[in-house]
Structures are given as structure tokens and as C-alpha cells.
Amino acid sequence: MANKFRTLDDVDVKGKRVLLRVDLNVPMESGRVTDATRLERVAPTITELADKGGKVILLAHFGRPKGRDPKESLKPVAEALSKVVNKPVAFADDCIDEPAAKAVAGLKDGDILCLENTRFHKEEEKNDPAFVAELAKLGDIWVNDAFSAAHRAHASTEGLGHKLPAYAGRTMQAELDALEKALGSPTKPVIAIIGGAKVSTKIDLLENLVNKVDALVIGGGMANTFLHAQGVAIGKSLAEKDLAPTALRIMEKAEAANCAIILPVDATVAYHFAANAPSHAYGLDAIPADGMILDVGPQSVARVHAAIDDAATLVWNGPLGAFEMQPFDRGTVAAAKHAAERTKAKKLISIAGGGDTVAALNQAHVAGDFTYVSTAGGAFLEWMEGKPLPGVEVLRVS
């Protein structure tokens, strides 16, 4: 990996103005940060650059403002960040023009400055060349540490990489290393667990994975669509019945690629979509006509465990059932704990990503036991779909 992308090992930042693109898009309530995970993720890069004598200038977006909006200001985030990095973080109330230029000019080596929300300017999302040039005036080098925004070709996430010497920050580097281990040049055999509600949102993902992995576990509402396509009576379960031909096509592609598709062999069924609704495990030939499949059954969990045992590398995106409601989290939690145990025993490389997946792993208290958990949503998914990410491509050694 190190020779494919330029990293901080390739540059001396002392005395340089470092434009550092980070993800500060954190949850806020009443002006306070409620989850500092993303701040903690970027802290090592910020600290390293400051300790090495760089002038650290943070670029980030927050929310989806339509023009300047005080409610979408990064000022309270900068204040929270200063506590995480244990250093003062100055703030400029614009990311270009005089406020930014003046604040940057006043920086000493090792200082940290956060510029205001780049999306206060519509030119950011348009990757407008004039706006890119204005941002570039403020720095000597550009470091991208925001993998979660790397699927967007915006001014601060991609445009600057064509104007200034470009490098991957430590968070970006860790993400790229993990993704390379997952699907780039993985230790085989590779298994993917793909869950979630809808096949329609993951068609590209499934079609890419059947050519990359040895076994593909399909769970969640998506599995119902595949079961329906095979003629299984799924009662009132959530399914995209019009996508039955798509499901069959994916299964044909998997067979041609020698990828085993692992679908549920039994299911946990309830009559109401509600937490603690009475439920029962049924074989696929006995799903009640007025019942809803809300989780995989015990035999399916055993099959998933066996598939994990056979694998050297696991890539996971999406839960196996309606994990946000007990007891329909059982399948996901059991599989997550099993994968975590294999990882701790050094028998599995486990990479997971996506919002629901991270929430499910946290619920199972095993996120820290996986080899790598990506906090990126859309970027992680697009990467798994085999699509080039603009913010990553611009960091490649040409």
C-alpha cells in the first residue's frame, strides 16, 4: 500500500502550511457535540502534523447548508476538537478571503486553525476551479484525511489535490490499508456478509462482490427478495418482489464466478414489526402466510458461523435482521461475536463498515475486536462496489 499512495512519511511538514481535509461532520445537540468518534479518528493526524512543526489548517464541511447558516458553523466543533487533541484550535469565520488569509498569516509552527464550513460556498460542491485556487493560496501542501468524503469530487476533497502536493493522512492511510486487505489483495478464502433492507441499494455491490469473494452471505430484508425469487413463500415479509429477476441474475453470476451464495435456511418470524413481538423460528417451507421474517433462524446462524470459520478474510456491510429491535438482533449479534472471537484468535482478518453495521457491532460490544471498522458510509459502499473514489485517486503515486 505504501508505494501506491503518498503518505505523511513522504513529506517534511516543518514550517509548511498544511491544508488538512478532515471529517468534522459530527452529531450535535443544542450546540454540543454528542459523539466525538470522528474527532478522535482525525486527532492522530492533527497531532502528528502539529508536533512536526506544521501549521495545521483544517478544512471541513458540516451538514448541508444553503449558503451561510450560523446553525451549521464549525465553531463549536472546533472547540470540542481542541479538548480531543489537547491543544488550542483557533477558528476563522470563513474558509477563503481576508478572514482566512489573516488567520493563516498569524500561525506559528505547530499551531492549529479550523476554517469555517466549506459548504457555506456553493462553489465547494461544484469543485469550482476559482474556489479551489482561493483555498490553495492558504497552503503549501494538501493532506486528505477524510475517507468518508472521498467519493465526492468537491473542491476541498479532490480539487486541491491537483493544485498542491497531495498526501494521505493517517486515518486515510489506515482505511486504505484495511480496504486493500479486505478486497484489494486479501488473504483467501474471503467471505462477505451483506445485509440490510433493500437489494435495490446494493445491486452494484453484490455484482462486484461475486467476482471478488469465495462466499457471500446475504441477510436482512435483502435475503427475502432472494428467497422469493427462488419460489419460497415469505408471507408478509419485507421484500422487493419486482427485483426477483435481478436476484436470479446475481445468483447466476455467482455460480459462474464460483462464489457460494449463502441464504437463510430458516427464519425468526413475528406477526408485528415491534420490539419484543412474540416470535418463532420456522423452516423456509413453513413460513406462515401472515408472518414476517425479522431475523435469521438458529440453523442459519450456525451456517454463517461455519462460513466464517472457513474464511481467512471477512468483509461485512449490513445487519442480518431487524437488529434495532430485540429479539431480532440475535442473528447479527451472534455472527458479530463469532467473527470477533475468530479475529482475536488471529484466525480472521475482519473489516466492517456502514452506519447500521457499526451500530450493530457496537450493540454486540465487539467493534473494538474487529481488525478494522470504517466509519465511512457512502464512500465505504462505493469502494466495495469497485468504483474509483475521486478523493483517493488524486493521492495515487503517478
Side-chain angles (χ1 to χ4, degrees):
M1 276 313 280
N3 60 358
K4 288 187 181 177
F5 299 93
R6 292 179 295 273
T7 72
L8 297 185
D9 298 325
D10 304 316
V11 62
D12 178 7
V13 299
K14 187 169 173 56
K16 289 197 168 73
R17 299 170 304 160
V18 182
L19 285 175
L20 174 60
R21 181 51 160 98
V22 286
D23 183 356
L24 302 182
N25 209 12
V26 291
M28 302 275 290
E29 211 171 274
S30 310
R32 297 177 68 84
V33 174
T34 55
D35 181 353
T37 305
R38 282 183 164 168
L39 306 186
E40 288 156 6
R41 281 271 171 118
V42 298
T45 301
I46 294 169
T47 305
E48 179 181 341
L49 290 169
D51 289 350
K52 287 180 174 176
K55 298 170 181 178
V56 187
I57 304 152
L58 305 178
L59 290 169
H61 73 275
F62 185 76
R64 296 185 175 278
K66 299 281 180 272
R68 187 172 275 275
D69 182 349
K71 291 198 291 292
E72 308 273 18
S73 173
L74 278 172
K75 192 171 186 184
V77 183
E79 288 163 6
L81 181 64
S82 70
K83 293 187 180 75
V84 173
V85 297
N86 227 3
K87 294 174 189 279
V89 176
F91 184 75
D93 64 10
D94 204 346
C95 61
I96 56 168
D97 299 332
E98 193 188 350
K102 200 171 170 185
V104 169
L107 292 176
K108 298 188 196 67
D109 293 0
D111 283 355
I112 305 166
L113 167 70
C114 179
L115 302 182
E116 184 56 284
N117 193 340
T118 55
R119 286 192 183 171
F120 280 0
H121 299 269
K122 63 181 185 299
E123 295 84 357
E124 155 75 349
E125 293 183 74
K126 290 177 179 172
N127 205 355
D128 179 89
F131 183 68
V132 174
E134 285 300 308
L135 291 174
K137 280 183 195 171
L138 303 170
D140 302 307
I141 65 170
W142 175 69
V143 175
N144 192 357
D145 213 28
F147 177 80
S148 51
H151 58 315
R152 308 278 186 228
H154 294 171
S156 67
T157 62
E158 193 265 353
L160 280 170
H162 299 288
K163 280 289 214 182
L164 296 172
Y167 304 89
R170 295 305 185 198
T171 310
M172 175 73 84
Q173 186 182 352
E175 191 97 30
L176 295 176
D177 281 344
L179 299 185
E180 180 70 5
K181 279 182 192 151
L183 290 182
S185 51
T187 307
K188 286 182 166 279
V190 186
I191 178 181
I193 296 177
I194 305 298
K198 293 182 173 181
V199 173
S200 53
T201 59
K202 296 190 178 176
I203 293 170
D204 290 349
L205 172 62
L206 296 171
E207 293 198 328
N208 184 46
L209 286 179
V210 294
N211 293 309
K212 294 272 184 84
V213 304
D214 301 288
L216 177 57
V217 174
I218 298 176
M222 293 170 59
N224 300 338
T225 300
F226 279 80
L227 294 173
H228 166 74
Q230 291 182 306
V232 175
I234 57 169
K236 292 184 175 175
S237 308
L238 172 75
E240 293 173 293
K241 293 183 176 177
D242 57 322
L243 287 183
T246 303
L248 292 174
R249 185 183 78 231
I250 289 167
M251 293 186 80
E252 282 167 17
K253 285 190 172 183
E255 193 173 352
N258 209 18
C259 166
I261 297 263
I262 299 171
L263 288 167
V265 290
D266 62 346
T268 300
V269 175
Y271 297 92
H272 305 287
F273 187 73
N276 301 310
S279 60
H280 193 273
Y282 291 92
L284 293 184
D285 56 349
I287 306 292
D290 53 350
M292 284 181 284
I293 297 171
L294 294 180
D295 196 11
V296 290
Q299 290 173 33
S300 301
V301 172
R303 279 194 83 191
V304 173
H305 286 188
I308 290 170
D309 289 345
D310 288 341
T313 302
L314 164 68
V315 187
W316 190 333
N317 176 259
L320 298 176
F323 81 99
E324 61 280 3
M325 299 188 299
Q326 290 184 334
F328 310 110
D329 60 342
R330 279 183 191 154
T332 302
V333 167
K337 286 184 172 173
H338 191 73
E341 281 165 22
R342 297 284 296 173
T343 305
K344 283 195 287 187
K346 303 276 191 290
K347 291 177 179 170
L348 185 71
I349 294 166
S350 51
I351 316 287
D356 280 352
T357 314
V358 175
L361 297 186
N362 284 333
Q363 199 165 308
H365 306 294
V366 296
D369 297 325
F370 270 54
T371 308
Y372 190 80
V373 177
S374 171
T375 55
F380 182 80
L381 206 54
E382 286 198 23
W383 176 82
M384 283 182 73
E385 290 168 358
K387 294 173 180 170
L389 307 182
V392 170
E393 293 305 307
V394 78
L395 301 173
R396 284 190 188 276
V397 175
S398 50

